[in-house]
Amino acid sequence: MKDIICLTDRDSDLEKAASLLKSGKVVALPTETVYGLAADATNCEAVASVFAAKGRPADNPLIIHVTSLSMMEKYTEDIPRAAYRLAEAFWPGPLTMILPKKNNVPEIVTGGLDTVAVRMPSHPVMRKIIDLVGKPLAAPSANLSGSPSPTTLAHVRKDMNGRIEAVVDGGECTVGVESTVICFDGYDSIRILRPGFITAEDLRKYVDEVIIDENILSDVVPEVKEVRSPGMKYKHYSPAARVVLVCGDLDHFIKYAATRKDEGMCCLIYDQDAEGFPFKYMTYGSDSEEQAKQIFSKLREADEKGVKNLYVRAPQKDGVGLAVYNRLIRAAGYEVVET
Ligand code: TXA
Ligand code: MG
């Protein structure tokens, strides 16, 4: 396929992107979380091209992106009351809800499941294009399957050049990690399947019970049959470098790294750890929100610098940090060290 077309966020370019999508093409679009690889969710062939471009296993379902509750209602049924409360509180924004699907959602979107993941994004470019197309857009993160999610146009171009028609530039994503994915366990009880910028504490204000799925924090490779969100069972988000996630305070981290000073070694530490840090390093922000925004681009940067072994100082395991920690466990292929 020819080189990827890079479009701007000007109206004429957004119209071009929308007409490509209407004709069944795949276009990468910015969202507030990460860039998505979008296709008309009602067009089976277009959705099949998304799976092909990513190299994504067919049993890992996609999120459909909507701009209104009525668009959600057109494709889902038996929507719990709590879903409306959560939509009111967090949409548009980085929350994805798993809901029973109607027959008009093609099986290819949901990997054969009888539920569909729905999200209303807040990024103005994504919203404008959904409205121009007039249909929900199915969109996974716009990276090659297994590699770190893209948070800039350059990341998308690197992974997708020659594989898809076009990408629209929406600047750097502000959140940086993918949406929080939840399903409904009961009437007023939800389960977090993938942590994100919207935290368990945020959600607890609107529902009686919030369960954090055990796979989120687990650093053992999950039993495939127990995983409720298919995407969580794959090794994920990985750069070419070997990643080791190191938990503990800075002193312990330095002692651990001191025994591993081989060539190609680099540490990924907090901004505030940098002064006097004795080994080669990169930093990824000073708090969980900054770490969320930077983590994927730092993993990509490690590859650009030819890093062979990347030792990451683990983020906090609560709040937004939980999302960063969850992505890093998978980037590390479950290689997690307690110091
Ligand atoms: O922020 C995001 O969510 C980004 C942007 C582009 O919107 N999208 C994204 O999509 O991260 P993706 O495909 O990379 O991740 C979707 C996750 C996967 O873990 C998938 O297994 C899960 O949602 N998922 C989708 N449909 C599901 C369903 N019906 N039941 C359970 N899990 C589902
Ligand atoms: Mg993804």
Side-chain angles (χ1 to χ4, degrees), residues 29-38 50-51 54 56 59-65 93-99 101 109-121 126 137-143 149-150 175-183 193-194 227-234 236-237 327:
L29 301 176
T31 84
E32 69 278 23
T33 56
V34 300
Y35 277 72
L37 206 55
V50 170
F51 279 91
K54 263 190 84 98
R56 181 168 172 124
D59 69 346
N60 191 3
L62 307 184
I63 297 171
I64 66 169
H65 297 74
L95 178 70
T96 296
M97 299 198 253
I98 311 286
L99 298 167
K101 78 173 197 75
V109 172
T110 63
L113 297 175
D114 52 13
T115 53
V116 62
V118 186
R119 172 163 115 77
M120 190 189 291
M126 182 73 169
L137 295 178
S141 49
N143 51 291
S149 297
V175 172
V177 289
E178 307 86 341
S179 60
T180 306
V181 177
I182 60 161
C183 66
L193 300 177
R194 181 177 72 183
V227 176
R228 302 187 49 175
S229 180
M232 288 284 122
K233 78 185 180 213
Y234 297 103
H236 230 110
Y237 315 117
R327 304 312 188 274

Side-chain angles (χ1 to χ4, degrees), residues 94 177-181 192-200 212-213 215-217 232 237 319-327 330:
V177 289
E178 307 86 341
S179 60
T180 306
V181 177
I192 300 180
L193 300 177
R194 181 177 72 183
F197 190 77
I198 295 179
T199 64
I212 298 181
D213 198 74
N215 287 309
I216 282 177
L217 267 173
M232 288 284 122
Y237 315 117
V320 180
L322 182 63
V324 184
Y325 185 80
N326 167 268
R327 304 312 188 274
R330 284 159 183 79

Side-chain angles (χ1 to χ4, degrees), residues 253 266-269 282-284 295 298 310-313:
F253 182 92
C266 185
C267 298
L268 184 59
I269 56 177
M282 304 188 297
T283 63
Y284 75 125
I295 187 58
K298 295 295 173 167
L310 183 70
Y311 298 97
V312 183
R313 178 147 185 244

